[in-house]
Amino acid sequence: MPKKITIEPVTRVEGHGKVTIHMDDSNQVVQSRLHIVEFRGFERFIQGRPYWEAPVLVQRLCGICPVSHHLAAAKAMDEIVGAGTGDGLTPTGEKMRRLMHYGQIFQSHALHFFHLASPDMLFGIEADPNIRNIIGVALEHQDLAVQGVMMRKFGQEVIQATAGKKIHGTGAIPGGMNKSLTPEERDSFLLGKDPLNVDKMIEWSLGALDFFKSYHSQNRELVDNFANFPSSHLSLVRKDGAMDLYHGVLRAVDAEGKKILHDVDYQKYYEYIGEEVRSWSYMKFPFLKEYGKEKGWYRVGPLARMNTADFIPTPLAQKEHEIFRAYTNGKPNGMSMHMHWARLIEILHSAEMMKELLYDPDITGDQLVTKGNKQYEGVGLIEAPRGTLFHHYRINEDDQIDMANLIVSTTNNNTPMNLAVESVAKDYMNGHAVISEGMMNAVEVAIRAYDPCLSCATHALGKMPLEIKILDKSGNILDKKRSS
Amino acid sequence: MSRPIIATTSLAGCFGCHMSFLDIDERILDLIELVEFNKSPIDDIKTFTKDCDIGLIEGGCCNTENIHILKEFRKKCKILISFGECAIMGGLPALRNDISVKECLAEAYLDGISTVNKEEILPNDEELPMILNKVYPCHEVVKMDYHLPGCPPRADLIWDVLHALILGTDVELPYEVVKYD
Ligand code: SF4
């Protein structure tokens, strides 16, 4: 009999989403959807606010990566105060922003990997949900849990030292920063008591990569085949093709690795990217206009960045990037679970970047702000932990915001997440009359690979229980089952 | 006494309050010795499996689903805490309260500069909860027992409050934490 499976809320994903899967009489998946169920209306309600509030207001979209929104908005405001795009700031202003950003990538990736994703690896996708979580990890694999907690803590403390607060800070202002590091703050990160110093973070990042690699070698079939599908990939890259998570030009490559967006200036992003609206989700579906709604979708995030960047400009991460690229013979990698691998390479890169920035004398400088001629429009892009984030504002003569357009990272991954859900639903559920909790968790594992952060996308956030509804042909509920 | 049971949820919040909870850092290892967790986005318990002692509510109510979950928490939890400014007074999302839902939707789905929507589709599927006319603070929907201020409440405050509740001691709310930011 036909049935509909609802996964709601999706847990260990910080977002308000749910999944519905429809199955036909012969237990074949006929439709699957990831719905984003919350709507907040940021684009409208920040209109009328003074422009300098944007960096502190808009970050309240997402408490998981507030720094990304804080900085993307600040970059757009740099344009508005005439401080130029990306490289117009003072060396101290720009390096403090970068330090904040790499601290953020580091803590967010640590959270994503250790707190949210590792339970599926340590206990198995179909393990008892009562232990399949970070508390289970803390009870049974304490070393790993402590590492995850301390890595996140280190990143959060870097954010506090640069932004003033761990969550929803105020450090970045239009045209620069409102503080630099004191020598004491710098030294505490460089020489802090074990384990809270940057060298330990690099060592632990390498350790986490080893953990993933050994998991991969023991579960190759699962890791390689789980939600594996080709796609285009999009990200910012530095002008010379290096990975750069703070600033760059927009590049996209197709599934074969051919460039389809040629390192363009992002100020006119809307000429290249459109967003489709579908009735069943509050999250829009972005695509490259040149390739249309059907074919123009792409992935963003750690996996995409591994595929778009020519190299990583720090030595240890570069070595890992070479190994990663060699695994698919230099072609773009479309394996969703390799997102975790890519994420760990970025953790390592962020730790190396933090070290480099901390040793840079500019980080304690006192030239914090650049001033210029006022503009009425600004676009700020940044590579957030989960992918390219777009902020675009226009202001009026009274310095009030009168237009805001946001395309958040998770939104960019909307089509790939839906395809990942479909692929896993078919692999795990087709032909099964009885749907287990483990099968439903498999679907969530696919979402978790991309994004524990549906929050941004709804321009809100949450979690989901799993519910299966069995429906007859006219849609009446015949049976209902809830996992707990 | 058996270990107190804690449940948490995020309604119309940004998850920042939950993140601040995790900012208690290594003390989380002590906490899991002291309490048991039930329904929460940080574990995989999606529906209440038992009655709980403490419920932490992040976010106000912006849609029908939020209301439903909040009422369920009230039923299942002895003590319910508005956890952060969104739960206390709607927070930033309540900036939409004097704008019509229609205008907000139009801005997001019809007028956006990168939106391509000639057919003028608006999200309206039956799977999506209904958006409320405004964002409601939690105490306007159910009785709330405590309010933890801040956006988000600082980690030390969260720790002190949970500790006091678990041990049955008094909670200190220093003057400087009673503020939005
Ligand atoms: S109170 Fe602040 S941190 Fe908490 S959910 Fe609301 S916006 Fe996020």
Side-chain angles (χ1 to χ4, degrees):
Chain A
M1 86 191 56
K3 47 184 160 198
K4 180 179 93 169
I5 297 148
T6 307
I7 304 180
E8 185 190 17
V10 177
T11 41
R12 287 186 280 132
V13 165
E14 291 83 35
H16 295 128
K18 72 172 173 184
V19 174
T20 56
I21 297 163
H22 289 259
M23 300 183 80
D24 67 10
D25 290 343
S26 45
N27 297 312
Q28 300 295 308
V29 172
V30 288
Q31 183 196 75
S32 66
R33 286 172 170 173
L34 167 66
H35 309 265
I36 297 302
V37 299
E38 228 172 82
F39 171 75
R40 294 204 281 178
F42 266 77
E43 289 93 341
R44 176 63 188 81
F45 71 61
I46 67 163
Q47 293 176 15
R49 307 301 308 180
Y51 69 81
W52 55 83
E53 285 184 355
V56 289
L57 290 183
V58 182
Q59 62 185 339
R60 266 113 182 154
L61 281 173
C62 179
I64 300 165
C65 54
V67 168
S68 313
H69 289 285
H70 185 56
L71 291 178
K75 285 178 81 180
M77 294 311 148
D78 293 344
E79 309 253 338
I80 285 185
V81 297
T85 304
D87 40 17
L89 300 189
T90 64
T92 300
E94 179 178 331
K95 285 170 189 170
M96 279 295 286
R97 292 238 191 123
R98 285 181 175 270
L99 182 60
M100 190 196 305
H101 189 51
Y102 286 103
Q104 147 87 353
I105 299 269
F106 190 77
Q107 75 82 15
S108 177
H109 278 0
L111 170 85
H112 194 155
F113 184 73
F114 289 98
H115 297 64
L116 303 168
S118 79
D120 297 312
M121 297 182 191
L122 292 167
F123 300 113
I125 291 173
E126 311 201 25
D128 176 0
N130 288 313
I131 57 154
R132 197 185 59 207
N133 58 55
I134 183 64
I135 297 160
V137 177
L139 294 172
E140 292 192 28
H141 302 268
Q142 215 187 52
D143 290 358
L144 206 68
V146 167
Q147 269 186 33
V149 166
M150 298 313 269
M151 286 170 82
R152 180 167 177 280
K153 178 175 181 172
F154 185 83
Q156 288 290 79
E157 293 198 339
V158 168
I159 292 170
Q160 179 154 38
T162 47
K165 256 173 98 192
K166 289 184 174 175
I167 297 163
H168 301 327
T170 54
I173 56 176
M177 289 287 296
N178 63 14
K179 77 180 289 267
S180 56
L181 282 198
T182 62
E184 295 73 43
E185 284 169 329
R186 179 198 57 203
D187 293 348
S188 76
F189 297 124
L190 285 173
L191 312 165
K193 192 167 146 270
D194 191 62
L196 290 174
N197 60 66
V198 76
D199 287 315
K200 190 75 183 184
M201 293 301 131
I202 292 174
E203 183 191 321
W204 275 356
S205 304
L206 287 163
L209 267 161
D210 286 341
F211 169 80
F212 179 85
K213 285 179 188 161
S214 90
Y215 173 78
H216 187 191
S217 66
Q218 286 155 27
N219 298 275
R220 208 166 285 284
E221 208 172 314
L222 172 74
V223 174
D224 291 355
N225 296 336
F226 192 89
N228 176 2
F229 51 88
S231 74
S232 304
H233 301 271
L234 175 138
S235 81
L236 293 176
V237 293
R238 201 165 75 186
K239 278 203 180 98
D240 62 356
M243 169 177 282
D244 190 333
L245 303 177
Y246 176 74
H247 188 63
V249 288
L250 261 183
R251 173 184 289 185
V253 298
D254 69 11
E256 291 302 310
K258 193 175 110 246
K259 268 191 218 172
I260 53 172
L261 196 59
H262 297 263
D263 299 3
V264 298
D265 176 9
Y266 61 65
Q267 289 301 311
K268 295 243 182 309
Y269 72 93
Y270 46 85
E271 289 180 359
Y272 311 109
I273 290 169
E275 294 178 278
E276 183 189 354
V277 179
R278 296 189 196 160
S279 63
W280 46 270
S281 181
Y282 285 118
M283 187 154 81
K284 291 184 270 192
F285 294 79
F287 58 95
L288 290 168
K289 283 183 170 169
E290 194 184 338
Y291 297 88
K293 289 181 186 174
E294 291 297 313
K295 295 212 172 104
W297 61 275
Y298 49 84
R299 279 180 170 119
V300 298
L303 186 71
R305 294 189 285 247
M306 292 296 142
N307 291 328
T308 51
D310 298 328
F311 65 100
I312 299 183
T314 53
L316 296 173
Q318 168 58 14
K319 251 175 59 202
E320 298 297 329
H321 186 238
E322 284 165 18
I323 299 170
F324 185 93
R325 295 302 299 255
Y327 195 76
T328 50
N329 301 317
K331 294 274 187 225
N333 181 329
M335 298 175 246
S336 294
M337 289 299 268
H338 287 214
M339 193 83 87
H340 294 304
W341 185 2
R343 187 168 288 121
L344 292 168
I345 296 173
E346 289 189 348
I347 286 194
L348 177 61
H349 172 57
S350 302
E352 290 183 285
M353 284 301 299
M354 286 192 282
K355 184 169 176 182
E356 197 180 303
L357 287 160
L358 287 164
Y359 273 114
D360 191 316
D362 287 334
I363 211 75
T364 50
D366 55 8
Q367 299 293 311
L368 298 175
V369 182
T370 308
K371 291 193 177 119
N373 296 325
K374 197 148 94 231
Q375 311 291 315
Y376 290 88
E377 182 162 4
V379 176
L381 261 67
I382 200 162
E383 284 297 321
R386 291 161 196 90
T388 318
L389 168 66
F390 300 65
H391 278 216
H392 180 186
Y393 304 91
R394 287 187 187 138
I395 63 166
N396 63 21
E397 292 288 339
D398 297 325
D399 286 348
Q400 292 168 309
I401 294 168
D402 69 6
M403 192 283 290
N405 192 46
L406 311 168
I407 310 177
V408 301
S409 317
T410 308
T411 300
N412 283 304
N413 268 334
N414 200 352
T415 300
M417 285 197 295
N418 269 283
L419 289 171
V421 164
E422 184 188 356
S423 148
V424 172
K426 285 184 172 161
D427 283 354
Y428 279 73
M429 295 176 181
N430 267 355
H432 290 272
V434 180
I435 303 299
S436 69
E437 192 277 339
M439 293 174 191
M440 292 195 274
N441 186 48
V443 170
E444 292 185 89
V445 169
I447 299 168
R448 269 175 222 133
Y450 289 82
D451 211 308
C453 198
L454 302 178
S455 174
C456 293
T458 64
H459 301 172
L461 128 89
K463 46 107 245 294
M464 332 205 227
L466 284 164
E467 189 180 277
I468 306 184
K469 288 180 198 154
I470 303 176
L471 303 154
D472 66 15
K473 283 204 174 110
S474 41
N476 302 315
I477 297 172
L478 294 179
D479 193 10
K480 215 172 169 179
K481 179 173 136 188
R482 273 215 156 190
S483 68
S484 54
Chain B
M1 192 184 81
S2 59
R3 292 184 300 164
I5 305 169
I6 297 188
T8 78
T9 190
S10 171
L11 307 176
C14 78
F15 231 75
C17 293
H18 275 81
M19 289 300 112
S20 195
F21 191 172
L22 292 184
D23 282 338
I24 66 173
D25 296 325
E26 58 273 30
R27 287 172 287 183
I28 194 108
L29 301 171
D30 302 328
L31 188 67
I32 59 180
E33 302 281 321
L34 291 172
V35 303
E36 178 184 331
F37 278 88
N38 204 265
K39 179 179 163 79
S40 169
I42 63 168
D43 58 35
D44 271 359
I45 305 179
K46 293 164 193 291
T47 51
F48 282 103
T49 53
K50 47 177 98 161
D51 287 343
C52 296
D53 297 288
I54 302 170
L56 291 173
I57 309 290
E58 171 191 295
C61 294
C62 75
N63 65 30
T64 48
E65 178 72 8
N66 295 155
I67 301 266
H68 172 80
I69 292 176
L70 181 56
K71 288 186 170 163
E72 195 191 1
F73 264 76
R74 180 67 279 178
K75 240 185 267 160
K76 296 285 185 182
C77 302
K78 281 194 205 109
I79 298 170
L80 214 51
I81 304 179
S82 274
F83 178 35
E85 294 302 326
C86 290
I88 293 173
M89 44 67 110
L92 203 80
L95 277 181
R96 82 158 163 88
N97 282 5
D98 53 3
I99 304 168
S100 72
V101 173
K102 212 172 139 194
E103 255 183 83
C104 291
L105 287 170
E107 189 68 33
Y109 301 108
L110 302 176
D111 305 336
I113 187 166
S114 49
T115 302
V116 180
N117 188 10
K118 282 196 210 76
E119 306 86 350
E120 307 214 330
I121 296 166
L122 287 179
N124 61 357
D125 194 84
E126 59 178 15
E127 299 293 348
L128 304 177
M130 302 281 280
I131 301 171
L132 302 175
N133 62 334
K134 59 174 201 148
V135 179
Y136 293 84
C138 293
H139 66 268
E140 287 186 14
V141 179
V142 299
K143 174 177 171 285
M144 302 299 293
D145 301 296
Y146 294 101
H147 292 82
L148 263 192
C151 177
R154 57 178 74 171
D156 287 344
L157 179 66
I158 298 168
W159 172 253
D160 289 347
V161 164
L162 287 178
H163 222 240
L165 282 172
I166 293 162
L167 302 176
T169 55
D170 284 343
V171 183
E172 285 248 2
L173 206 55
Y175 177 73
E176 63 278 11
V177 306
V178 186
K179 58 173 185 170
Y180 185 91
D181 195 14

